[in-house]
Amino acid sequence: MEAKTHIALVSIPVFSHQVSLLEFAKQLIHLYKDSFHVTCIIPTISNSPSIASKPFFDTLPSSIQCIFLPPINFEDLRNEVRLESQVQISVSRSMAYVFETLRSISTNSNLVALVIDSFAHEAHKFAKELNILSYTYFPCSAMVLSMCLYFSKLDKIITCEYKDHPTPIEIPGCISVHGIDLPDSAQDRSSLAYNLFLHRSQQLHQTDGIIINSFLEMELEAFKAISQNGPSGHGTSTTPNVYPIGPIVQTRPNIQNQACECLLWLDNQPPNSVIYISFGSGGTHSQYQINELALGLELSKHKFLWVNVKQPNNKASASYLSNEEVDPLHFLPLGFLERTKGQGFVMCGWAPQVEVLKHNAIGAFLTHCGWNSILESIVHGVSMIAWPLFAEQRSNAELLTSGLRIAMRPKYDSKGIVVKEEVVSVIQGVMESEEIGRRMKELQKFANCAMMEDGSSMKTFSMLALKWKSLRNLV
């Protein structure tokens, strides 16, 4: 049997990024199952995979191998830097292991290409040493990619803190956004996080291509601007080729889903009656905000499914790298669970999100605006309430509300809290809006078409795969 073409991936110690990159690999194996073998190298902070993520890794095809690198100890920095910086530093400190693993793979296989998470950009230099192609995998929107490619120029033309800039900031091919809605890493120009973000953005140009989990029909103007204007904005593009291959979304095995209590609860609810609430794997709220959200859900009188509830914390990303085990339901308002017993279902554990979103009882999704969750909602045609917490989520929220107009975003009071009355207002606004629902269904059709055999993303996927296959005999 002819040896398979080998592709190596380098991910980061954040499960949502791992899922996106590995779903890309699963799609490649599904389309060309006899042609490719994929190895994913994953730096770690603690022992991996976690209990919550283990089922995902256990169900990967045999043609995909995951190698978890030894954990990196960076306790000296954990309490001093932002989440994104913690991730970046842990990846940087793993680079020697990454190279050792890649060199071993290339010695024993037809390794032709390296696909690297944008946070692991340092691994691109290894591709040159091994004489193979390297691509950046960008698991966010084309809007955020355009902003990153343009960021070196922004850094020069805007001298104040972005949150203090008096007018919305223009991003090529996209809606303008207020400075406060740029990613967290851009919010303090004197910080380590800012310098890492600027460097990471600059490194996007030093690659053979950028593979992005979005699709042309959703962000056409952004893709045009990226290809035509380049990072300088002067019409001479030095941007690598960009390959939109989305929407790539997670698929879960149905065995566990069938026994999931929340799905059984949804089976007994009327169509389009339930608002689904999830702030992802890392999102947290203050005690005050948890109280207001809970009371708002109760006052709305709408059915709700609230999953992955966490204990309160004033830092929005506090649980991302935390292993604390405390029952968060104890922090809900007194009597809330009893009063809403017939109205809602609350759980602190993981829910099968894909199965939830495709359930006909779901009418809207209150989301933290992680890109994976956004794409899953679009694929299943579920309108959203955009409640961003950290990282690039505020930029995503603006894309959903002001750009695509498939979501509503709650307003904060003077203390930075979404009060219960505002929770009621956005729930009623999204659940009852025919216009938002109509636009979402249209976008859902475009998303599904992009992934059909002759769709825009599938054509791009095939182009990449055929290019990699053609390199096999040259290695």
Side-chain angles (χ1 to χ4, degrees):
M1 178 181 286
E2 190 177 9
K4 293 182 178 181
T5 303
H6 203 135
I7 306 296
L9 316 177
V10 180
S11 189
I12 64 172
V14 174
F15 183 54
S16 59
H17 282 240
Q18 295 163 15
V19 166
S20 185
L21 188 54
L22 284 164
E23 289 292 344
F24 163 77
K26 285 167 66 175
Q27 185 73 277
L28 179 66
I29 297 298
H30 173 71
L31 293 173
Y32 302 91
K33 58 184 176 182
D34 297 323
S35 300
F36 287 95
H37 184 84
V38 176
T39 300
C40 185
I41 304 168
I42 305 177
T44 62
I45 292 173
S46 58
N47 292 327
S48 293
S50 67
I51 294 174
S53 62
K54 193 172 185 300
F56 174 79
F57 291 101
D58 287 345
T59 57
L60 290 173
S62 59
S63 295
I64 299 177
Q65 176 191 12
C66 290
I67 298 176
F68 293 92
L69 300 180
I72 295 297
N73 187 333
F74 67 121
E75 292 293 335
D76 55 316
L77 297 170
R78 178 164 293 187
N79 296 321
E80 300 175 17
V81 295
R82 292 179 181 269
L83 168 67
E84 295 92 333
S85 300
Q86 294 179 32
V87 171
Q88 187 76 76
I89 292 167
S90 69
V91 172
S92 295
R93 293 183 179 183
S94 296
M95 279 298 132
Y97 294 119
V98 171
F99 181 58
E100 184 180 316
T101 306
L102 285 172
R103 187 165 53 184
S104 175
I105 293 171
S106 65
T107 302
N108 300 295
S109 70
N110 295 306
L111 183 63
V112 301
L114 188 56
V115 181
I116 301 166
D117 188 284
S118 54
F119 272 85
H121 57 82
E122 291 164 280
H124 285 293
K125 61 186 177 185
F126 304 143
K128 290 188 174 70
E129 294 184 41
L130 298 171
N131 196 30
I132 59 176
L133 295 175
S134 69
Y135 299 80
T136 293
Y137 185 81
F138 199 80
C140 302
S141 66
M143 173 182 169
V144 173
L145 176 59
S146 180
M147 181 199 67
C148 289
L149 292 169
Y150 188 63
F151 197 70
S152 289
K153 184 174 182 180
L154 278 182
D155 178 66
K156 293 180 174 64
I157 63 177
I158 296 178
T159 56
C160 64
E161 293 291 354
Y162 294 102
K163 66 178 183 295
D164 298 327
H165 197 260
T167 59
I169 295 170
E170 295 184 10
I171 301 173
C174 307
I175 57 170
S176 299
V177 298
H178 293 284
I180 194 64
D181 286 323
L182 294 182
D184 281 357
S185 296
Q187 295 303 327
D188 180 359
R189 299 175 75 102
S190 64
S191 68
L192 171 64
Y194 185 91
N195 289 325
L196 289 173
F197 180 70
L198 178 60
H199 182 63
R200 194 161 63 245
S201 297
Q202 292 167 342
Q203 292 303 305
L204 285 169
H205 307 288
Q206 312 303 317
T207 178
D208 292 305
I210 300 172
I211 300 169
I212 179 171
N213 192 8
S214 184
F215 56 104
L216 286 174
E217 293 82 355
M218 181 167 68
E219 300 187 88
L220 182 59
E221 294 305 315
F223 282 116
K224 283 181 179 179
I226 290 168
S227 63
Q228 293 173 0
N229 297 331
S232 66
H234 295 143
T236 303
S237 176
T238 60
T239 304
N241 288 332
V242 176
Y243 302 94
I245 46 79
I248 299 288
V249 298
Q250 185 175 359
T251 55
R252 291 177 179 265
N254 291 323
I255 298 173
Q256 291 183 337
N257 295 345
Q258 291 171 353
C260 184
E261 193 176 352
C262 69
L263 292 178
L264 297 176
W265 182 81
L266 285 174
D267 288 341
N268 294 316
Q269 310 308 318
N272 303 311
S273 66
V274 178
I275 179 161
Y276 169 55
I277 303 104
S278 175
F279 291 97
S281 56
T284 48
H285 295 285
S286 68
Q287 181 67 72
Y288 189 8
Q289 184 61 85
I290 289 173
N291 291 344
E292 291 296 302
L293 173 56
L295 295 175
L297 291 171
E298 181 180 353
L299 286 171
S300 75
K301 304 300 181 184
H302 279 281
K303 299 275 188 175
F304 64 87
L305 170 61
W306 186 3
V307 308
N308 210 15
V309 178
K310 300 180 184 68
Q311 70 181 99
N313 195 298
N314 290 330
K315 186 176 179 180
S317 60
S319 71
Y320 226 105
L321 302 176
S322 171
N323 293 316
E324 294 182 13
E325 294 185 5
V326 179
D327 183 3
L329 300 187
H330 292 159
F331 298 96
L332 295 173
L334 185 64
F336 169 75
L337 292 176
E338 290 76 17
R339 293 192 304 271
T340 60
K341 194 169 185 180
Q343 179 188 356
F345 189 100
V346 182
M347 55 188 285
C348 54
W350 286 83
Q353 181 157 294
V354 171
E355 297 296 322
V356 168
L357 288 171
K358 70 168 64 169
H359 200 288
N360 68 356
I362 298 298
F365 180 14
L366 194 162
T367 173
H368 65 307
C369 297
W371 191 241
N372 288 349
S373 290
I374 288 171
L375 291 180
E376 288 167 359
S377 202
I378 289 170
V379 166
H380 295 100
V382 179
S383 302
M384 287 173 273
I385 295 172
W387 190 321
L389 297 178
F390 58 92
E392 85 292 349
Q393 293 165 9
R394 289 186 300 273
S395 300
N396 292 343
E398 280 303 288
L399 172 63
L400 295 180
T401 54
S402 301
L404 300 172
R405 295 183 295 154
I406 55 173
M408 291 185 66
R409 186 174 177 180
K411 296 180 176 63
Y412 296 91
D413 69 3
S414 59
K415 298 178 181 178
I417 296 294
V418 179
V419 297
K420 55 183 178 293
E421 293 83 4
E422 179 67 9
V423 173
V424 173
S425 177
V426 291
I427 288 175
Q428 291 177 343
V430 169
M431 294 288 278
E432 298 168 11
S433 173
E434 293 182 2
E435 278 298 301
I436 290 178
R438 180 185 59 78
R439 284 191 289 268
M440 176 56 90
K441 293 301 181 185
E442 288 178 355
L443 188 56
Q444 180 189 22
K445 291 178 183 177
F446 284 125
N448 291 334
C449 288
M451 298 303 290
M452 291 180 179
E453 185 176 353
D454 60 345
S456 59
S457 293
M458 278 297 98
K459 287 179 180 177
T460 302
F461 224 115
S462 297
M463 179 173 60
L464 272 174
L466 292 173
K467 180 174 184 177
W468 292 340
K469 286 177 66 177
S470 72
L471 294 172
R472 177 176 55 198
N473 298 324
L474 302 178
V475 177

